[in-house]
C-alpha cells in the first residue's frame, strides 16, 4: 500500500449547532398503532387521536402537561419514503414493506415519570407495540493512547491471524479497489472527532443529528478501523480511500429507525451502512446486549435498506460484557425466536450480524491455528461472520475532540463489525473495479458465510464442535471470487448467451419433455450430442402417464456451482404467463455445473400429466446459493414493471410456450400428396360462415397487466398451405373498438364475440387493443387445413403479445401428424 505523505491543511471546524443547541432530557416512548388505525402523518397528529377514537389523548394531555406525540420518522418526507418503498419492491420482489406510517413517538415531560406514561399508553387497545426508547451512549472501552499504533494493526495481517488486507496490498500490482475506492460509507452512532489527523482528508460530515462529546472515543475508533487515511500518520484503515464518509448521530427523541431511513438519502446499491447500536434484552435472567433489529421499527428500517441493495452491518452485541453470551437459536422476544432461522417466528432483515473472537491464535491440537470466540460474544445460526473483538489498534479521541490520539485496546462486537465493514467495502470496490458490478446484500452475506473465503472460528481449545462462522480473508476473495461467482442460465432461445436481450423469451431449447426415460441424458442432449442447437427435442405430453423432463444449464461464471436446483412450473397456453396462472410441478438437483459454459444436463424430473390434452406452457428457474432467484410463488402483489425486469434481466428463468396439438390422421385420398405451395396468399376474403365442422379450435389466454390498463398488440405468424383458412375469436369489444364497419369481421351479438380473419401464410398484426387491468381475455384460434397436408408435413403457428413493440410473451403450436 502506498505510504507517500499527503499534505493536508484543515482548519478545525466547530459545529455551531452542537455548541448552541441545548440538550433535550425528555424520554421518548416509541409506539406502533394497529394497522386499522389511519392517522394523518404530520406534526399535529395529536389533534386527530381523540377525533378518530384511537385513544384518550386529551386525558393524557391533562394528566401530563407538556406531553407531545409526533411521527417517528418526521425527518423523512412521506413522499420520499413512499418512493423508496416502491423502488424496494421493484428491486426485491420478496420485500414486504413495513408499516412505517403507523410508528409515532411520545415525548414525555421531564417533570413526569415516563414509566407512568408508558403504563397508561399500554392500556390503549389500538397500540400494537410500545417501548421506551433508550438513550444511546457509546459502549464502554478502555483506551491507552498510542500515537505510533500503526505497526500493531495485526488484524490486517495475512490469514489466519487477520483478514489479509496487507497481503494484497503487498502484491506487485495491488488489485484495483483494494483501498475501498468508489464505495460510500455511513456510520450511525453517537459521536466522532471528524477532524482527527487520520480522518480530516476525507472531509467527513455528520449529515444528521448532533455529536455527543461522550461518544467521540468510540466513533473515532470505528472510523479509524474502517477508513483511517493512508498518510503515514498513525493507522491505516481497511478501506482508506472510500468514495465518501458520512456519519449520522443518534437523537434520543427519534431513535435508530429514523436515522437508518435518513441514511437512505445518501447511499446507493452496494454501499455500506454500519449501525453501531444494540438493544438490551433479558437472556436467561441476565440483561444482555443483542442486535438493534430485535425491535420492530429498526427491523423495518433495516429491511427497507437491504431491499434497496444497501449492505447493512450490525454488531451482534456483547452479552453481559463479561462471561455470558447470547445464543440466538434460543433467544426470545415476547416468546418468539426471531433470530433463529429454524423457527417459524424468524424474521430476516437481510443485514450482516457480526460476532467477535480473541485476537491471538489458538493452538488447539485438532485444528489449524485459528481464533476462539470471546466468552461474551453471540452465537447461533443467525451470526454471519466474526472478526477480532479485542486488542484492536485504531484512532482515539476524547470528549474535547483530541485530533492526534490512538489506542490499541479497542474491541467488542463494535470493533469486529468495523473490521467487517472495511472488508466488505474492499470486496465491493474490487469486484466493481474488475467487473463493473457490486454484490447484493444477500450475495455478500453468502460470501462471508462460505468457508472458501474465510478463516473458521473455533469455539474453544479442543472443541469437537467448531462454530461454522468465518472471518473474511481478502486474499482468498481476490484469488477465487474475482474470477466471477457462478452465473447460471437457461437459454430463452437458440443463440441466447445469457446476457440481457430483447428477443424471444419463450422458445427455450433447454426444457425437454420425453415420453420415455432417457438412459444417458448427457449423451442424448449434452455438449457432444449434436443437439445443443435443437429446440424440437420434446415429445407430445401423454395425458395420465409419466413423462420425463430434462433441463440443460450453462454457467458463465468463473467457478463451478454445486447443488444447483431447477424448479419447473406449468400453465395453460397464454401469450403472457403471469405468476398467478402457474402451478409448480417439482424440482431436480444437479450435483455440479462447471464453469466455462459447458452444457450440463440434469437428472430427469418425472411428471404425470393431468391435462388438458397437449397444451402446456413450461417455466423453469435455475438457482444456487451464490446465484439466487426469486421464486415465482413470491410474486403475490406483483406489478408489471417488477415482473418485466424479472423476465428481461434475469437469466435464471426461461419458459417454453411450445404446445403440440395432436391432429387426427388424414383420411385416404386418391390424389397424390402435393408439395406445399409457397405462393403468397392474397388478402383474406370474408368467410361464408362462422366455423363449424372441419375446423380445429385451439384455446389460449391473453392477459392484461396487473396494475394498469394498457394498449398492446397481438401478432399472429403462420406458414400454412394456400387453401388453409384461419379465424381468431376475440371478445366483442375488440371489434367495436378497432374493426367497426370492417366487412371481414363477423360479430356474434348473442355471444358478444368477434371473428377476425387471419392471414394463414404470413403475419397478421392487430394493433392497440385495450387490455383492462388484470383481465384475462379468452381467445380461440380456428384453423381449417385439409387432411391431405398432414401425411408428411407439419406446420407452426405462433401468437405474440407485444407492449410498445417488445415481445412480452408468446404461445406456439405445431400442427401435423403426431410422433
Amino acid at each position: 500500500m502506498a505510504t507517500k505523505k499527503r499534505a493536508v491543511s484543515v482548519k478545525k471546524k466547530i459545529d455551531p449547532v452542537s455548541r448552541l443547541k441545548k440538550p433535550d432530557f425528555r424520554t421518548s416512548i416509541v409506539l406502533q398503532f394497529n394497522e386499522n388505525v389511519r392517522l394523518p402523518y404530520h406534526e399535529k397528529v395529536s389533534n386527530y387521536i381523540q377525533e378518530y377514537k384511537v385513544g384518550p389523548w386529551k386525558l393524557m394531555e391533562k394528566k401530563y402537561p407538556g406531553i407531545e406525540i409526533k411521527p417517528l420518522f418526521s425527518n423523512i418526507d412521506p413522499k420520499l419514503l413512499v418512493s423508496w418503498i416502491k423502488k424496494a419492491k421493484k428491486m426485491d420482489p420478496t420485500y414486504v414493506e413495513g408499516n412505517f406510517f403507523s410508528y409515532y413517538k411520545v415525548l414525555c415531560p421531564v417533570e413526569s415519570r415516563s414509566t407512568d406514561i408508558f403504563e397508561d399508553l399500554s392500556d390503549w387497545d389500538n397500540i400494537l407495540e410500545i417501548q421506551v426508547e433508550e438513550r444511546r451512549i457509546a459502549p464502554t472501552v478502555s483506551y491507552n493512547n498510542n500515537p505510533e499504533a500503526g505497526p500493531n494493526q495485526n488484524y490486517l495481517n495475512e490469514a489466519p491471524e487477520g483478514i489479509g488486507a496487507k497481503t494484497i496490498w503487498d502484491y506487485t500490482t495491488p488489485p484495483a479497489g483494494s483501498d475501498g475506492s468508489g464505495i460510500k460509507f455511513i456510520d450511525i452512532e453517537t459521536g466522532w472527532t471528524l477532524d482527527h489527523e487520520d480522518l480530516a482528508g476525507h472531509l467527513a460530515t455528520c449529515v444528521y443529528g448532533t455529536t455527543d462529546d461522550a461518544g467521540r472515543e468510540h466513533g473515532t475508533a470505528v472510523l479509524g478501523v474502517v477508513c483511517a487515511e493512508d498518510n503515514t500518520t498513525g493507522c491505516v484503515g481497511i478501506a482508506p480511500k472510500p468514495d465518501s464518509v458520512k456519519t449520522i448521530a443518534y437523537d434520543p427523541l427519534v431513535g435508530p429507525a429514523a436515522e437508518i431511513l435518513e441514511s437512505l438519502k445518501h447511499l446507493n446499491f452496494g454501499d455500506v451502512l454500519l449501525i453501531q447500536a444494540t438493544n438490551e434484552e433479558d437472556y436467561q435472567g441476565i440483561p444482555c446486549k443483542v442486535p438493534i433489529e430485535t425491535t420492530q421499527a429498526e427491523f423495518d428500517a433495516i429491511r427497507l435498506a437491504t431491499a434497496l441493495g444497501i449492505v447493512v452491518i450490525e454488531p451482534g452485541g456483547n452479552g453481559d460484557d463479561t462471561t455470558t453470551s447470547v445464543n440466538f437459536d434460543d433467544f426470545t422476544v415476547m416468546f418468539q425466536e426471531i433470530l433463529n432461522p429454524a423457527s417459524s417466528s424468524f424474521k430476516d432483515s437481510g443485514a450482516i450480524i457480526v460476532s467477535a473472537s480473541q485476537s491471538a491464535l489458538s493452538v488447539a491440537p485438532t485444528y489449524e491455528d485459528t481464533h476462539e470466540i470471546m466468552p461474551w460474544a453471540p452465537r447461533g445460526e443467525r451470526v454471519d461472520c466474526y472478526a477480532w473483538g479485542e486488542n484492536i489498534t485504531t484512532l482515539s479521541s476524547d470528549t474535547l475532540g483530541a485530533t492526534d490520539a490512538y489506542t490499541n485496546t479497542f474491541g467488542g462486537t463494535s470493533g469486529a463489525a468495523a473490521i467487517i465493514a472495511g472488508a466488505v467495502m474492499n470486496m465491493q470496490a474490487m469486484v466493481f473495479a474488475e467487473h463493473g458490478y457490486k454484490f447484493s446484500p444477500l450475495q455478500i452475506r453468502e460470501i462471508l458465510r462460505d468457508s472458501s473465503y474465510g478463516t473458521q472460528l473455533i469455539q474453544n481449545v479442543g472443541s469437537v464442535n467448531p462454530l461454522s462462522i468465518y472471518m473474511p480473508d481478502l486474499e482468498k476473495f481476490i484469488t477465487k471470487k474475482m474470477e466471477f461467482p457462478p452465473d447460471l442460465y437457461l437459454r430463452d432461445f437458440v443463440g441466447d448467451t445469457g446476457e440481457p436481450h430483447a428477443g424471444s423469451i419463450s422458445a427455450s431449447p433447454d426444457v425437454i419433455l420425453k415420453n420415455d426415460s432417457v438412459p444417458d441424458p448427457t449423451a442424448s442432449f449434452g455438449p457432444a450430442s449434436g443437439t445443443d442447437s435443437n429446440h424440437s427435442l420434446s415429445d407430445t405430453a401423454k395425458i395420465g402417464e409419466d413423462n420425463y423432463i430434462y433441463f440443460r444449464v450453462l454457467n458463465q461464471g468463473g467457478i463451478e456451482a454445486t447443488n444447483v436446483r431447477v424448479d419447473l412450473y406449468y400453465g395453460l397456453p397464454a401469450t403472457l404467463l403471469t405468476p398467478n396462472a402457474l402451478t409448480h410441478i417439482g424440482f431436480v438437483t444437479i450435483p455440479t455445473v462447471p464453469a466455462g459454459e459447458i452444457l450440463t444436463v440434469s437428472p430427469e424430473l418425472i411428471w404425470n400429466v393431468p391435462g388438458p390434452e397437449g397444451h402446456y406452457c413450461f417455466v423453469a428457474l435455475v438457482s444456487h446459493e451464490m446465484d439466487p432467484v426469486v421464486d415465482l410463488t413470491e410474486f403475490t402483489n406483483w406489478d408489471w414493471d417488477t415482473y418485466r425486469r424479472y423476465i428481461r434481466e434475469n437469466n435464471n428463468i426461461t419458459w417454453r410456450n411450445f404446445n403440440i396439438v395432436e391432429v387426427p390422421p388424414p383420411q385416404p385420398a386418391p390424389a397424390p400428396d402435393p408439395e406445399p405451395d409457397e405462393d403468397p396468399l392474397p388478402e383474406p376474403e370474408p368467410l361464408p360462415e362462422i366455423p363449424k365442422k372441419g375446423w380445429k379450435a385451439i384455446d389460449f389466454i391473453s392477459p392484461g397487466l396487473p396494475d394498469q390498463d394498457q394498449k398492446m398488440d397481438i401478432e399472429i405468424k403462420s406458414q400454412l398451405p394456400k387453401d388453409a383458412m384461419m379465424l381468431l375469436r376475440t371478445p366483442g369489444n375488440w371489434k367495436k373498438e378497432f374493426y367497426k364497419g370492417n366487412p371481414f369481421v363477423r360479430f356474434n351479438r348473442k355471444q358478444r364475440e368477434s371473428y377476425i380473419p387471419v392471414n394463414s401464410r404470413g403475419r397478421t398484426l392487430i394493433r392497440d387493443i385495450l387490455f383492462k387491468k388484470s383481465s384475462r381475455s379468452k381467445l380461440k384460434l380456428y384453423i381449417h387445413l385439409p387432411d391431405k397436408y398432414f401425411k408428411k408435413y407439419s406446420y407452426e403457428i405462433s401468437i405474440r403479445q407485444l407492449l410498445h413493440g417488445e415481445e412480452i410473451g408468446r404461445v406456439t403450436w405445431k400442427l401435423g401428424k403426431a410422433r
Side-chain angles (χ1 to χ4, degrees):
M1 198 70 181
T3 57
K4 184 177 180 181
K5 184 174 180 64
R6 179 155 53 97
V8 178
S9 177
V10 178
K11 184 178 180 180
K12 185 166 183 176
K13 295 175 286 186
I14 298 177
D15 180 357
V17 176
S18 65
R19 299 303 186 197
L20 299 177
K21 185 177 180 180
K22 295 182 180 180
D24 193 330
F25 295 104
R26 290 181 294 176
T27 297
S28 177
I29 297 176
V30 176
L31 56 85
Q32 181 183 18
F33 287 117
N34 291 326
E35 61 181 16
N36 61 320
V37 174
R38 295 288 187 270
L39 289 169
Y41 205 71
H42 56 65
E43 294 293 314
K44 296 183 179 180
V45 65
S46 60
N47 296 339
Y48 299 91
I49 294 178
Q50 197 90 16
E51 177 184 346
Y52 287 19
K53 299 181 180 180
V54 176
W57 182 252
K58 297 296 183 184
L59 181 61
M60 296 291 291
E61 289 179 325
K62 184 176 180 180
K63 187 174 181 180
Y64 305 105
I67 191 172
E68 296 180 57
I69 184 168
K70 297 180 179 181
L72 177 60
F73 305 115
S74 56
N75 58 309
I76 304 295
D77 184 338
K79 292 182 180 178
L80 180 60
L81 179 55
V82 169
S83 71
W84 285 340
I85 293 170
K86 288 182 178 179
K87 183 178 179 181
K89 288 179 177 179
K90 292 180 179 180
M91 295 179 67
D92 183 351
T94 67
Y95 171 64
V96 178
E97 68 179 272
N99 191 2
F100 294 99
F101 299 108
S102 66
Y103 291 104
Y104 292 83
K105 58 185 175 185
V106 174
L107 303 177
C108 305
V110 291
E111 61 272 17
S112 301
R113 293 177 55 186
S114 59
T115 53
D116 293 340
I117 297 174
F118 181 90
E119 290 179 4
D120 286 349
L121 289 170
S122 298
D123 291 335
W124 288 23
D125 294 334
N126 287 308
I127 292 179
L128 182 65
E129 183 174 312
I130 183 171
Q131 67 186 59
V132 177
E133 182 57 47
E134 300 177 30
R135 283 190 174 271
R136 306 290 163 172
I137 59 173
T140 304
V141 179
S142 298
Y143 288 95
N144 293 318
N145 288 345
N146 182 358
E148 302 296 331
N152 298 320
Q153 291 180 266
N154 294 336
Y155 55 89
L156 301 175
N157 288 353
E158 181 180 12
E161 182 179 21
I163 63 172
K166 289 180 179 178
T167 307
I168 60 174
W169 290 340
D170 288 338
Y171 282 2
T172 303
T173 304
S178 58
D179 55 4
S181 53
I183 306 300
K184 294 181 173 66
F185 173 68
I186 288 183
D187 179 37
I188 299 179
E189 49 185 293
T190 58
W192 313 261
T193 298
L194 297 179
D195 55 355
H196 191 286
E197 63 181 1
D198 245 347
L199 296 174
H202 291 315
L203 302 179
T205 56
C206 181
V207 295
Y208 182 81
T210 304
T211 296
D212 182 352
D213 287 339
R216 290 182 183 273
E217 290 180 336
H218 188 271
T220 305
V222 166
L223 293 185
V225 173
V226 177
C227 59
E229 288 188 80
D230 181 17
N231 58 5
T232 72
T233 300
C235 299
V236 61
I238 299 170
K241 296 183 180 180
D243 184 68
S244 68
V245 177
K246 291 182 172 63
T247 61
I248 292 177
Y250 288 125
D251 182 341
L253 301 181
V254 174
E259 281 100 12
I260 295 167
L261 293 187
E262 183 71 28
S263 73
L264 304 185
K265 298 177 181 178
H266 308 279
L267 298 174
N268 300 315
F269 184 94
D271 292 333
V272 175
L273 171 64
L274 176 60
I275 306 172
Q276 285 288 2
T278 55
N279 290 325
E280 185 171 290
E281 299 283 354
D282 183 85
Y283 178 71
Q284 297 181 353
I286 301 172
C288 289
K289 300 295 192 303
V290 296
I292 191 68
E293 68 174 54
T294 56
T295 46
Q296 188 62 44
E298 282 65 41
F299 175 90
D300 288 342
I302 292 171
R303 183 65 187 97
L304 177 58
T306 59
L308 291 170
I310 295 165
V311 181
V312 179
I313 298 171
E314 298 178 71
N318 298 345
D320 70 346
D321 293 312
T322 53
T323 59
T324 300
S325 66
V326 179
N327 186 337
F328 295 153
D329 290 346
D330 60 20
F331 166 74
T332 61
V333 174
M334 298 297 291
F335 306 105
Q336 294 186 323
E337 295 179 347
I338 60 174
L339 293 177
N340 179 8
S343 169
S344 60
S345 304
F346 174 64
K347 299 187 300 181
D348 188 357
S349 69
I352 294 165
I353 294 182
V354 184
S355 191
S357 75
Q358 298 177 5
S359 57
L361 290 171
S362 171
V363 288
T366 55
Y367 298 98
E368 61 177 315
D369 291 350
T370 183
H371 301 276
E372 294 181 44
I373 194 169
M374 296 296 288
W376 41 259
R379 308 156 191 261
E381 182 61 29
R382 181 61 182 88
V383 175
D384 295 299
C385 56
Y386 80 93
W388 284 25
E390 62 176 0
N391 302 325
I392 297 173
T393 298
T394 183
L395 318 186
S396 184
S397 185
D398 57 26
T399 57
L400 299 178
T403 61
D404 59 354
Y406 296 83
T407 180
N408 58 13
T409 58
F410 187 50
T413 52
S414 293
I419 292 173
I420 296 301
V424 168
M425 291 174 69
N426 279 4
M427 290 176 178
Q428 294 285 55
M430 287 189 289
V431 77
F432 184 72
E434 182 73 16
H435 301 304
Y437 67 85
K438 300 172 188 175
F439 292 120
S440 69
L442 176 60
Q443 288 174 313
I444 282 289
R445 193 164 70 177
E446 291 299 329
I447 291 169
L448 294 173
R449 284 176 162 266
D450 192 329
S451 61
S452 302
Y453 309 111
T455 300
Q456 184 169 1
L457 176 76
I458 62 171
Q459 188 169 359
N460 50 52
V461 175
S463 171
V464 295
N465 295 307
L467 297 176
S468 297
I469 56 174
Y470 307 90
M471 179 170 66
D473 180 350
L474 294 177
E475 185 178 23
K476 286 183 179 179
F477 176 84
I478 198 66
T479 56
K480 299 184 70 174
K481 197 63 188 175
M482 292 297 286
E483 295 175 348
F484 279 110
D487 186 358
L488 303 164
Y489 70 97
L490 295 153
R491 292 174 293 174
D492 291 331
F493 57 91
V494 173
D496 183 6
T497 62
E499 300 300 324
H501 63 82
S504 174
I505 53 176
S506 52
S508 176
D510 296 332
V511 181
I512 303 167
L513 182 145
K514 305 299 289 184
N515 298 143
D516 300 306
S517 179
V518 177
D520 190 343
T522 298
S524 298
F525 311 126
S529 65
T531 66
D532 57 312
S533 297
N534 189 340
H535 71 285
S536 301
L537 297 172
S538 292
D539 296 338
T540 301
K542 289 187 176 180
I543 309 301
E545 297 184 13
D546 284 344
N547 292 262
Y548 303 84
I549 304 171
Y550 305 87
F551 307 95
R552 301 192 288 196
V553 179
L554 295 107
N555 178 6
Q556 64 178 355
I559 57 176
E560 71 176 25
T562 58
N563 296 322
V564 173
R565 173 169 167 152
V566 184
D567 285 83
L568 186 67
Y569 300 78
Y570 83 99
L572 296 178
T575 50
L576 173 60
L577 280 179
T578 56
N580 55 0
L582 296 173
T583 300
H584 188 243
I585 293 174
F587 70 92
V588 294
T589 300
I590 306 175
T592 303
V593 179
E597 300 196 76
I598 299 170
L599 201 64
T600 304
V601 185
S602 75
E604 63 190 19
L605 174 63
I606 302 175
W607 181 39
N608 191 284
V609 182
E613 180 183 358
H615 291 44
Y616 299 100
C617 305
F618 293 117
V619 179
L621 284 76
V622 59
S623 61
H624 179 260
E625 62 180 3
M626 295 300 296
D627 188 17
V629 64
V630 176
D631 193 285
L632 279 168
T633 59
E634 297 183 15
F635 278 92
T636 52
N637 297 313
W638 63 288
D639 61 83
W640 170 245
D641 287 338
T642 300
Y643 192 50
R644 180 188 178 280
R645 290 183 58 188
Y646 180 77
I647 296 168
R648 284 294 179 191
E649 300 177 14
N650 195 332
N651 61 7
N652 300 64
I653 179 172
T654 191
W655 58 55
R656 182 178 179 82
N657 284 2
F658 196 91
N659 308 280
I660 299 176
V661 178
E662 296 192 24
V663 178
Q667 299 296 321
D673 300 323
E675 295 291 328
D677 190 342
E678 296 299 327
D679 293 334
L681 188 69
E683 287 295 321
E685 298 180 359
L687 294 176
E689 60 180 272
I690 299 299
K692 294 181 180 179
K693 296 181 180 180
W695 292 73
K696 183 68 180 179
I698 301 174
D699 294 291
F700 65 100
I701 295 168
S702 285
L705 303 186
D707 53 347
Q708 56 187 286
D709 294 348
Q710 182 63 255
K711 287 187 176 182
M712 291 183 276
D713 304 336
I714 293 291
E715 180 192 74
I716 305 171
K717 282 186 175 182
S718 64
Q719 284 297 328
L720 299 181
K722 66 178 183 179
D723 49 352
M725 293 181 288
M726 290 199 299
L727 283 176
L728 180 65
R729 190 188 74 184
T730 71
N733 65 308
W734 287 27
K735 176 200 182 270
K736 283 185 175 181
E737 292 185 35
F738 307 108
Y739 290 89
K740 187 175 182 180
N742 188 329
F744 293 91
V745 177
R746 295 297 184 87
F747 181 58
N748 186 321
R749 296 183 181 278
K750 184 177 181 180
Q751 300 296 329
R752 300 191 61 79
E753 298 170 339
S754 295
Y755 292 84
I756 302 171
V758 175
N759 190 349
S760 62
R761 292 179 59 79
R763 174 173 175 262
T764 301
L765 183 62
I766 308 173
R767 294 183 179 275
D768 295 332
I769 305 167
L770 180 61
F771 286 82
K772 292 291 187 178
K773 172 183 174 182
S774 300
S775 63
R776 290 178 61 81
S777 299
K778 295 181 179 180
L779 308 181
K780 187 186 290 281
L781 184 67
Y782 290 98
I783 305 166
H784 186 277
L785 185 62
D787 290 340
K788 63 184 179 180
Y789 291 109
F790 284 108
K791 187 173 183 180
K792 291 184 178 180
Y793 305 107
S794 60
Y795 307 92
E796 190 170 288
I797 300 171
S798 65
I799 301 180
R800 300 197 302 159
Q801 191 166 339
L802 306 173
L803 175 61
H804 306 311
E806 178 183 80
E807 177 183 325
I808 60 174
R810 77 161 67 190
V811 59
T812 306
W813 295 273
K814 192 171 185 179
L815 304 180
K817 188 175 181 180
R819 295 186 186 184

